[in-house]
Amino acid sequence: MNKRFTLGILLCVLLFVSCDDIIEKNISKSSTEIVAPANNATISGPEVLFWWNYVEGSDYYELQLVKPNFQSVEYLLADTILEKNKITYAIDPGVYEFRIRACNSAYCTEYSYRSFTLSIK
């Protein structure tokens, strides 16, 4: 290929594709702020609402839920990818910990952690 032809193709591509479409926003310094449940909360079940604020520039969220905590996992109850910022799970009574982080195709935030206890009335 000659240089003019290659340059012409490059210019055409640049006219139709913005830099935002090519380069992902670096969200690694952002944080995923958890709305619910509150840390160390005791919740009357059987359902728990997991809710966090959207992170600008993210495409999805990684949520993990374990019993009783990440230092001594007995059960992995959820390891999922979500596009929305809320999900409800029906789980058994007990002590739990979950973590959430925001990601796009190039970057992820650090995990944000919360612990809670679920009790059934």
Side-chain angles (χ1 to χ4, degrees), residues 9 23 27 30 32 47 49 59 62 67 69 84 95 104 116 121:
I9 291 175
I23 300 171
I27 61 171
S30 300
T32 308
E47 293 186 342
L49 170 66
D59 297 324
E62 294 179 356
K67 184 176 183 179
N69 57 53
K84 296 186 178 193
V95 175
N104 58 33
F116 65 93
K121 287 186 178 179

Side-chain angles (χ1 to χ4, degrees), residues 77-111:
L77 290 105
D79 186 3
T80 189
I81 294 175
L82 305 160
E83 291 181 5
K84 296 186 178 193
N85 70 326
K86 293 180 190 175
I87 190 166
T88 301
Y89 280 111
I91 54 179
D92 294 329
V95 175
Y96 295 90
E97 189 171 63
F98 78 99
R99 63 186 182 184
I100 185 80
R101 70 179 180 176
C103 297
N104 58 33
S105 64
Y107 302 97
C108 288
T109 64
E110 293 292 321
Y111 279 107

Side-chain angles (χ1 to χ4, degrees), residues 7-61:
L7 184 59
I9 291 175
L10 179 61
L11 287 174
C12 287
V13 168
L14 291 176
L15 288 173
F16 294 104
V17 179
S18 73
C19 290
D20 289 340
D21 294 332
I22 298 171
I23 300 171
E24 283 284 4
K25 180 176 181 173
N26 184 346
I27 61 171
S28 63
K29 301 291 183 207
S30 300
S31 63
T32 308
E33 297 176 19
I34 298 170
V35 177
N39 198 35
N40 298 317
T42 299
I43 302 164
S44 296
E47 293 186 342
V48 179
L49 170 66
F50 298 91
W51 179 18
W52 54 93
N53 290 327
Y54 283 107
V55 174
E56 185 179 337
S58 67
D59 297 324
Y60 61 92
Y61 301 90

